């Protein structure tokens, strides 16, 4: 009997371990619980769903990775620590629409820094292309270096400056995110 119970407990532990390794999902899009970047382990903080227009059209699922989980958006933005945001698109989006979204996001959240950031915002937007359903966009903040950008899994380059990184991540975590549910999800709340 002990052998049977031990076997069942071992099987249950393996299943629970597998579930933890799989991470979380939103809108059928799964993200790992942890990622490795530059020798550091970042943990999935939360998933958020970007909805656009008054029709609430689903655009992408965002995943925020941090060194330690946090529900404090201001603390995340102020921390000069590695972080990564991955956007997994659930619909096709044209490059022009992405560019308009970036303009709106920076205008709504960069405040007085907007003019000084403009050349780097333009360089960031130049990295964008049309994206299809299933494509990803990844933005990784490396303290002291800025933000590394990958589109569809291909490295596109880096934008220098921790100030740029704060302004970029403020698009989702600042006072005026694209939609409140997206910010809530990225901070560990429900996705959707």
């Amino acid at each position: 009997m002990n052998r049977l119970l031990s076997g069942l407990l071992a099987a249950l532990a393996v299943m629970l371990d597998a579930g933890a390794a799989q991470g979380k999902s939103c809108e059928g899009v799964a993200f790992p619980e942890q990622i490795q970047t530059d020798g550091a382990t970042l943990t999935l903080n939360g998933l958020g769903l970007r909805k656009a227009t008054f029709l609430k059209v689903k655009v992408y699922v965002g995943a925020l990775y941090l060194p330690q989980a946090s529900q404090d958006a201001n603390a995340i933005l102020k921390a000069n620590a590695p972080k990564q945001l991955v956007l997994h698109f659930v619909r096709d989006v044209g490059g022009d629409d992405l560019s308009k979204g970036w303009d709106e996001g920076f205008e709504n959240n960069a405040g007085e820094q907007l003019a000084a950031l403009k050349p780097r915002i333009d360089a960031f937007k130049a990295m964008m292309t049309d994206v299809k359903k299933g494509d990803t966009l990844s933005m990784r903040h490396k303290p002291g270096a800025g933000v590394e950008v990958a589109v569809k899994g291909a490295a596109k380059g880096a934008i220098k400056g921790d100030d740029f990184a704060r302004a970029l991540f403020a698009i989702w975590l600042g006072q005026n995110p694209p939609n409140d549910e997206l910010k809530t999800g990225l901070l560990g709340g429900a996705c959707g």
Side-chain angles (χ1 to χ4, degrees):
M1 184 79 164
N2 281 343
R3 226 179 198 179
L4 178 60
L5 184 57
S6 294
L8 288 173
L9 289 175
L12 179 60
V14 168
M15 289 186 331
L16 289 175
D17 230 14
Q22 289 176 346
K24 299 176 185 168
S25 66
C26 176
E27 290 296 313
V29 180
F31 292 89
E33 190 65 38
Q34 294 182 328
I35 58 173
Q36 298 293 319
T37 177
D38 298 324
T41 299
L42 299 180
T43 300
L44 181 61
N45 195 70
L47 301 175
L49 179 61
R50 167 67 167 116
K51 296 177 186 173
T53 75
F54 69 95
L55 297 173
K56 304 288 185 190
V57 175
K58 297 172 184 174
V59 181
Y60 59 76
V61 176
L64 178 62
Y65 288 90
L66 302 171
Q68 296 177 348
S70 175
Q71 295 179 343
D72 185 340
N74 289 330
I76 294 168
L77 291 173
K78 287 179 183 176
N80 198 25
K83 56 182 106 9
Q84 185 164 336
L85 184 68
V86 179
L87 309 180
H88 181 103
F89 288 84
V90 294
R91 67 177 299 109
D92 296 353
V93 180
D96 289 343
D97 288 334
L98 278 177
S99 184
K100 288 177 193 172
W102 297 127
D103 285 337
E104 184 179 305
F106 281 109
E107 287 169 13
N108 289 340
N109 293 286
E112 298 171 355
Q113 296 179 324
L114 185 61
L117 292 171
K118 185 78 169 102
R120 289 179 282 169
I121 292 170
D122 290 341
F124 175 74
K125 291 182 347 183
M127 296 177 183
M128 300 299 130
T129 62
D130 295 345
V131 291
K132 302 287 184 194
K133 180 179 180 179
D135 287 345
T136 60
L137 169 60
S138 176
M139 295 151 289
R140 179 176 48 187
H141 176 210
K142 293 177 70 174
V147 176
E148 293 180 345
V149 179
V151 180
K152 302 178 190 179
K156 292 293 185 176
I159 306 296
K160 293 189 184 293
D162 293 330
D163 59 337
F164 178 81
R166 277 188 297 279
L168 178 64
F169 281 82
I171 290 174
W172 297 274
L173 301 175
Q175 293 297 316
N176 301 299
N179 52 281
D180 290 332
E181 300 87 359
L182 174 58
K183 179 178 176 179
T184 297
L186 293 174
L187 292 175
C191 180

